Amino acid sequence: MLQCLSGSSCARVIECYRSTWYFLVLVLAYVLYLIFGALVFSAVELPYEEQLRQELRNVKQRFLEDHECLSEERLEEFLIRALEASNYGVSVLNNASTNWNWDFTSALFFASTVLSTTGYGHTVPLSDGGKAFCIIYSVVGIPFTLLFLTAVVQRLMEFISRRPVEYLHRRWGMSKPLLAAMHASLLAIIIVSCFFLIPAIIFSVLEEDWNFLESFYFCFISLSTIGLGDYVPGEGYHQRFRQLYKLGITLYLILGLIAMLVVLETFCELQQLKKLRKMFYLRKQKTEDQLNIVDHDHLSFASVSDQAASFKEDKTDTFPDDIASASPTTANGPMDR
């Protein structure tokens, strides 16, 4: 008996806090996923880092041996200064002197990466005034960009996702959740082809040192707004039509970000994903005022029903003979006529 009571109480506790348990499992899974990623990245990249460090030490040592008049301290000073300038997007190489980071098209490209929170990091403001303006510009511009993207995606969703699914549902009579899932899959294939595969082929042709994998990697890192900055198009030493190229990349990033948001919103509207999300959400609880209003309405309705019932009983008790005598007359009235 006690085991049954304890088991039922445990079941009630689990049922009442089901979303909390699901949320804790979600947090644990996320932490484990972070640890898994760290282990894989460390195992894959650490040997390459060690190899690169060794190569740099060998190159530096050979350079000092070939130039005995140059001290290691002076070389260190020059390398530190060159690396600092490189972090600001300025190169000491002769063939890179023709590429400016703050002409109009490059500045437009930088503004688009700031507002979209991509932030490659290859070009950063040099002056204090530029850094201060970047803060103010971002504080205003990022919410403005979110508003702009939300408005655009909301309108596109109506014509790209909702109306086609509704039309096919009326025409073919298929299940709407099934149609929505098929439509979302087809839309994802189209977006991946138009904004990942085809641009990756184009970048692999236009960028001299990029292969297809590196180009596809850049497309994904950019449109997912990760923006690591290890690959930035238009920074080659012999890049032709660089300003027009930068302008085209800016347009590609904006359109690609909109397309990614449309796909994500389409998948978020699927019934299957809605049910999955609800597992981890808190249940909406009615406030005390709402509960009082509901109880008051229920009591009022019950009191009115009770009053009506009692009135009907009183009427029946008051006129029993009239009702009994009137019933045959009413029933036989049409026949007598």
Side-chain angles (χ1 to χ4, degrees):
M1 184 67 178
L2 292 176
Q3 293 179 352
C4 294
L5 291 176
S6 61
S8 61
S9 61
C10 292
R12 283 197 301 270
V13 170
I14 295 174
E15 183 66 24
C16 293
Y17 296 97
R18 177 184 294 180
S19 62
T20 303
W21 293 113
Y22 284 150
F23 177 73
L24 293 177
V25 172
L26 179 65
V27 172
L28 178 62
Y30 187 75
V31 172
L32 292 176
Y33 193 71
L34 285 175
I35 296 174
F36 169 73
L39 292 174
V40 172
F41 283 127
S42 178
V44 172
E45 296 297 330
L46 194 59
Y48 286 92
E49 180 185 1
E50 179 60 30
Q51 180 181 356
L52 183 59
R53 287 176 180 270
Q54 186 62 38
E55 290 178 357
L56 286 176
R57 284 193 291 264
N58 294 335
V59 170
K60 177 183 174 182
Q61 186 63 33
R62 287 198 302 268
F63 182 83
L64 291 174
E65 292 176 356
D66 294 338
H67 303 81
E68 297 180 355
C69 58
L70 181 64
S71 64
E72 185 174 359
E73 291 76 12
R74 296 293 302 275
L75 179 61
E76 289 283 348
E77 292 178 1
F78 172 76
L79 291 177
I80 290 173
R81 183 58 181 164
L83 291 175
E84 289 178 352
S86 178
N87 291 332
Y88 283 98
V90 179
S91 177
V92 297
L93 300 178
N94 291 329
N95 51 7
S97 60
T98 58
N99 294 339
W100 292 89
N101 294 324
W102 293 106
D103 55 3
F104 176 75
T105 53
S106 298
L108 182 65
F109 177 71
F110 172 78
S112 68
T113 60
V114 169
L115 296 184
S116 63
T117 67
T118 303
Y120 292 112
H122 71 294
T123 302
V124 294
L126 303 175
S127 63
D128 293 339
K131 295 173 184 177
F133 177 74
C134 184
I135 295 173
I136 300 172
Y137 185 72
S138 302
V139 168
V140 178
I142 291 176
F144 187 29
T145 303
L146 293 176
L147 175 63
F148 165 73
L149 293 176
T150 302
V152 172
V153 170
Q154 190 270 338
R155 282 162 173 77
L156 290 178
M157 285 291 297
E158 188 67 26
F159 295 98
I160 295 178
S161 294
R162 299 190 183 103
R163 290 190 181 182
V165 171
E166 188 66 29
Y167 172 77
L168 294 176
H169 173 65
R170 291 196 309 266
R171 185 175 181 85
W172 292 350
M174 294 179 62
S175 172
K176 186 176 289 187
L178 178 61
L179 278 175
M182 295 172 59
H183 172 268
S185 302
L186 180 60
L187 182 63
I189 294 174
I190 294 174
I191 295 300
V192 168
S193 301
C194 294
F195 288 93
F196 288 91
L197 296 177
I198 296 177
I201 296 174
I202 296 175
F203 282 128
S204 64
V205 173
L206 296 179
E207 298 291 334
E208 296 179 355
D209 300 330
W210 293 14
N211 55 31
F212 178 79
L213 176 60
E214 293 169 336
S215 301
F216 189 88
Y217 168 81
F218 163 76
C219 295
F220 177 80
I221 293 297
S222 299
L223 298 186
S224 59
T225 67
I226 298 174
L228 297 177
D230 48 350
Y231 289 92
V232 181
E235 299 297 322
Y237 301 138
H238 306 289
Q239 185 66 57
R240 300 177 59 186
F241 307 106
R242 184 172 182 268
Q243 294 186 351
L244 184 61
Y245 187 38
K246 283 284 189 180
L247 187 62
I249 296 170
T250 303
L251 183 63
Y252 161 73
L253 292 177
I254 296 175
L255 294 179
L257 184 58
I258 293 174
M260 288 284 289
L261 291 176
V262 169
V263 172
L264 291 177
E265 185 67 20
T266 302
F267 275 94
C268 286
E269 289 189 354
L270 295 178
Q271 294 295 329
Q272 296 85 344
L273 291 182
K274 286 183 178 180
K275 293 179 181 179
L276 180 63
R277 294 201 307 271
K278 288 181 179 179
M279 292 173 56
F280 308 103
Y281 291 170
L282 284 174
R283 294 182 178 180
K284 293 183 178 180
Q285 297 181 354
K286 295 181 179 180
T287 61
E288 185 177 355
D289 294 337
Q290 290 176 333
L291 291 174
N292 291 335
I293 292 173
V294 172
D295 294 339
H296 176 72
D297 293 341
H298 176 72
L299 292 174
S300 300
F301 179 77
S303 61
V304 171
S305 301
D306 294 340
Q307 291 176 4
S310 62
F311 178 76
K312 186 175 181 181
E313 291 176 358
D314 294 341
K315 186 177 179 181
T316 305
D317 295 338
T318 306
F319 308 103
D321 298 333
D322 296 341
I323 295 175
S325 60
S327 298
T329 305
T330 305
N332 299 327
M335 296 178 62
D336 294 340
R337 292 179 184 175

